[in-house]
Amino acid sequence: MAKINKATAGIMLAAVIGGGAIGATAIPAMAADSTGSSSSTQSTDGYGTGGQRGPHQANGKTEEILTGDTATKVEAAVKAAQPDATIERMETDADGATYEAHITKADGTRATVLLDANFTVTGTQDGQGGPGGGPGDAAADGYTSNG
């Protein structure tokens, strides 16, 4: 068996320790990157499809996810107006209507259905609306009134 002199052994030991330290610091960084995955299903907070944004504020109000009887009534009204649509999320509206439902229509386009306090559909905005705007959003695509 070949003998390794002390200098060579010291260099090898330093390389192993140094490499281990570098690897140990990289592992948490890699783990943090892997936790940011997105989901295409409805999340428990109601903002889960296709990278949807969370609640926003306008006019001093913050939108809130609808639950219980209110959600049931909004869902029924939206399904009556858009029977083949998929509801992505339902929430209070900070921009003027009482409630809104973000939907995907049967043809794949997105829209926001607006409702009043009596659960009557008052209009539909093409796109998803909300902060940020851009192609496919209500600010760019317009508004259709039902009344």
Side-chain angles (χ1 to χ4, degrees):
M1 184 172 206
K3 290 188 172 184
I4 299 175
N5 68 28
K6 289 182 182 181
T8 304
I11 292 170
M12 289 174 54
L13 181 60
V16 169
I17 292 171
I22 291 170
T25 59
I27 290 171
M30 289 186 295
D33 288 344
S34 69
T35 60
S37 65
S38 64
S39 172
S40 62
T41 59
Q42 185 74 16
S43 71
T44 57
D45 66 0
Y47 292 102
T49 61
Q52 295 290 336
R53 295 174 289 251
H56 75 278
Q57 287 187 331
N59 306 317
K61 297 188 294 186
T62 301
E63 294 180 344
E64 296 178 12
I65 293 294
L66 301 180
T67 59
D69 192 44
T70 302
T72 302
K73 290 177 181 178
V74 168
E75 181 178 3
V78 171
K79 286 294 190 179
Q82 299 280 341
D84 296 326
T86 300
I87 297 174
E88 303 296 336
R89 71 180 190 267
M90 299 175 292
E91 59 199 5
T92 58
D93 183 35
D95 298 318
T98 304
Y99 307 111
E100 66 184 16
H102 297 269
I103 64 170
T104 300
K105 295 180 181 181
D107 66 3
T109 61
R110 294 183 171 190
T112 302
V113 179
L114 306 173
L115 300 93
D116 65 16
N118 296 317
F119 306 100
T120 301
V121 174
T122 60
T124 301
Q125 295 174 332
D126 292 333
Q128 288 292 308
D137 285 346
D141 293 341
Y143 170 78
T144 304
S145 176
N146 292 339

